[in-house]
Amino acid sequence: KGKLNITKLDAGVYGGKLSGHAQINKVKNGFDISLANTITGIDLKRLFSNLFNVNAIIGSADLLINTHAESVNNYQDLHKKMN
């Protein structure tokens, strides 16, 4: 078993600032992943344009992201197992 704790996560994202922490635990059938993050001042036009090719949304937003996924083995599992 192994565990990775990222206790101080800071990054720039779409003109805003992401901060928080993450934890990844090795378990029998994959990895348990937990995230607790805040994003402040994100530029919605840049975000939606880049991710969805949508230019009609403008403004800025603050986001709070707390999520957990259990027994993740691959990237597709993240979409299926996020809570």
Side-chain angles (χ1 to χ4, degrees):
K1 273 192 166 185
K3 181 189 287 189
L4 172 65
N5 283 316
I6 302 171
T7 57
K8 184 170 170 102
L9 183 61
D10 291 309
V13 59
Y14 294 104
K17 181 180 177 180
L18 177 140
S19 61
H21 64 274
Q23 184 178 77
I24 302 171
N25 291 312
K26 175 68 176 126
V27 294
K28 185 177 182 180
N29 357 342
F31 298 90
D32 289 350
I33 301 171
S34 297
L35 303 171
N37 296 291
T38 301
I39 302 174
T40 57
I42 193 167
D43 182 331
L44 294 176
K45 184 173 183 175
R46 287 175 58 191
L47 173 72
F48 278 84
S49 176
N50 188 15
L51 296 180
F52 308 112
N53 199 28
V54 172
N55 293 308
I57 297 174
I58 61 171
S60 64
D62 298 334
L63 306 170
L64 177 62
I65 303 166
N66 289 312
T67 192
H68 180 80
E70 295 179 347
S71 301
V72 173
N73 288 303
N74 54 50
Y75 182 75
Q76 288 77 19
D77 283 348
L78 287 175
H79 297 285
K80 295 176 190 171
K81 298 181 178 184
M82 282 282 179
N83 291 326

